[in-house]
Amino acid sequence: MNNKLFVGNLSFKTTENDLQDAFSAFGTVTETNLMMDRATNRPRGFGFVTMGTPEEAEKAIEGMNGKELDGRALTVNIARPREERPAGGGGGRGFGGGGGGGGRREFRGGGRDRY
């Protein structure tokens, strides 16, 4: 069994120290990681806690899964390896947007009358 636990449904105000404190009741916490959004640098609502032994990890799952922390019921289970995602990026944007224009003449502003 793995010592690394996935912890989901975290409040955005929960800190790594809060996780350390909550999980240390079940054994030695060797590492805590809160996942942050790269663009906004805000928490994503989940993280990982690594316990000292598989037995401590099992105790932590039993003790913390469904328990409230900062007003949220936690989801705690064994962390699975990250799934491979296809290379590349972007997402289905297709071609760039157009520029507007058109509309009623008096709202387009700019030029003078042509008559």
Side-chain angles (χ1 to χ4, degrees), residues 34-38 41-44 46:
L34 277 181
M35 296 297 104
M36 306 296 275
D37 185 287
R38 286 185 203 152
N41 204 31
R42 292 188 42 175
R44 294 182 60 196
F46 71 95

Side-chain angles (χ1 to χ4, degrees), residues 20-101:
Q20 172 92 28
D21 293 344
F23 281 80
S24 64
F26 303 97
T28 303
V29 176
T30 60
E31 184 180 22
T32 58
N33 263 330
L34 277 181
M35 296 297 104
M36 306 296 275
D37 185 287
R38 286 185 203 152
T40 64
N41 204 31
R42 292 188 42 175
R44 294 182 60 196
F46 71 95
F48 297 94
V49 174
T50 304
M51 302 298 292
T53 67
E55 293 78 22
E56 291 172 343
E58 189 60 43
K59 284 185 202 171
I61 291 171
E62 291 170 11
M64 293 298 292
N65 190 40
K67 184 174 179 188
E68 279 199 16
L69 181 65
D70 289 329
R72 307 281 303 248
L74 300 182
T75 300
V76 181
N77 50 44
I78 295 296
R80 296 188 309 245
R82 187 172 181 171
E83 293 179 9
E84 289 296 319
R85 291 195 254 181
R93 289 209 160 109
F95 294 96

